[in-house]
Amino acid sequence: MSKFNLQGKSAIITGGASGIGEAISKTFAQQGAYIHILEFSKESGEQTVKEIKNDGGEANFYQCDVSNHLQVKNIIDEIAKNNKIDILINNAGVAHVGNVENTFESDLDRVYNVNVKGVYNCIYATVPKMKAQGGGVIINMASIASSVGISDRFAYSMSKGAVLTMTYSVAKDYLDSNIRCNCISPARVHTPFVDGFIKKNYPGKEDEMFDALSKTQPIGRMGKPEEIANLALYLCSNEASFITGTDFPIDGGFIKLNG
């Protein structure tokens, strides 16, 4: 059997139908995992499941607002009726641009409810299932903004800092339950969100701004969703069985080489 094989594993991936989440869903399916996509967009969720199945994989889609505690619990209970939950990827998230002065209460609530409460909701519903079955793996998607200052990312940085410390807490609390919990902290990754942000804020200068944003990474380019997915694959595989309670920056040198 090849390394990093997920054959027979069942994986829940939130925000699993776009950007990094879509790449994780497809990568894990290619390695044999049964994929359960929790996604807010019905259209994106159904399309990603279709593409996974066309590629020979197995997947289901559940339309879900991860900030809704009861909805998350009901969906995860439904999944657990017929499947072990071997892997939980907390990838769903929203962004916000602004410092504290131009972050309104409604902005803060929106970011908190998805990025922090959403992660809590999924872990809260999943951990008892993993304990009962003898273990599992949780990956939380944090950010380099969890540990270094990023201009005009007040609410976003707050939320991802919480994701980082939740990771440490869960890893510590469930060592004896054989539940490993780690987080991944990407720098800027080229996703549809980036393209949409540039188009909205810099009309007519898309190519120029894309190049400028790419050069903010010391390595000279943005990350690719598939590169994040490959790291997640390793961390969820048996080959990473000695790793828990750790943050993994994947940032083109941003943290250590910027300045």
Side-chain angles (χ1 to χ4, degrees), residues 3-248:
K3 288 188 175 183
F4 317 127
N5 190 291
L6 299 181
Q7 197 69 41
K9 303 288 188 181
S10 177
I12 294 175
I13 303 171
T14 71
S18 64
I20 292 171
E22 179 183 2
I24 294 174
S25 294
K26 291 179 177 178
T27 297
F28 281 26
Q30 289 165 1
Q31 293 301 112
Y34 194 109
I35 307 302
H36 305 277
I37 293 175
L38 274 59
E39 172 67 50
F40 189 77
S41 167
K42 185 172 187 290
E43 181 181 359
S44 297
E46 291 178 343
Q47 179 62 30
T48 301
V49 166
K50 180 180 177 181
E51 291 172 6
I52 288 173
K53 290 182 175 179
N54 287 344
D55 196 37
E58 296 183 284
N60 280 330
F61 160 64
Y62 302 83
Q63 188 171 20
C64 181
D65 174 1
V66 295
S67 70
N68 186 316
H69 185 80
L70 184 59
Q71 187 180 85
V72 169
K73 183 180 183 302
N74 288 342
I75 289 173
I76 291 177
D77 284 349
E78 180 182 343
I79 293 170
K81 286 179 182 178
N82 299 307
N83 304 270
K84 287 177 64 181
I85 301 176
D86 300 291
I87 297 166
L88 169 65
I89 308 290
N90 282 308
N91 170 75
V94 295
H96 180 263
V97 177
N99 59 29
V100 67
E101 292 177 279
N102 49 37
T103 299
F104 299 110
E105 183 180 12
S106 57
D107 298 323
L108 191 72
D109 287 345
R110 172 176 169 268
V111 172
Y112 175 86
N113 285 335
V114 177
N115 294 5
V116 181
K117 186 182 174 187
V119 173
Y120 155 76
N121 286 339
C122 293
I123 294 175
Y124 180 88
T126 301
V127 160
K129 318 295 185 189
M130 289 184 170
K131 285 176 65 178
Q133 70 193 24
V137 182
I138 298 171
I139 301 293
N140 299 323
M141 199 61 62
S143 165
I144 57 167
S146 302
S147 52
V148 299
I150 306 292
S151 299
D152 287 326
R153 295 294 187 277
F154 172 76
Y156 181 77
S157 297
M158 171 276 300
S159 70
K160 291 303 185 178
V163 170
L164 175 65
T165 51
M166 275 195 287
T167 299
Y168 296 152
S169 181
V170 170
K172 182 72 172 179
D173 286 341
Y174 296 100
L175 283 167
D176 292 341
S177 299
N178 195 32
I179 297 172
R180 297 192 295 110
C181 185
N182 295 294
C183 64
I184 295 174
S185 289
R188 186 168 281 116
V189 178
H190 184 200
T191 64
F193 171 82
V194 171
D195 292 334
F197 174 82
I198 292 174
K199 184 176 181 179
K200 177 182 177 182
N201 292 279
Y202 304 98
K205 297 183 178 180
E206 288 88 350
D207 291 343
E208 176 184 342
M209 286 309 304
F210 182 86
D211 185 58
L213 291 174
S214 297
K215 289 178 179 176
T216 63
Q217 316 303 302
I219 206 168
R221 65 171 176 86
M222 298 186 202
K224 301 173 184 177
E226 293 76 17
E227 292 172 315
I228 315 303
N230 288 336
L231 176 56
L233 173 63
Y234 167 65
L235 292 174
C236 291
S237 71
N238 291 335
E239 284 72 24
S241 60
F242 197 55
I243 300 174
T244 193
T246 304
D247 176 37
F248 286 83

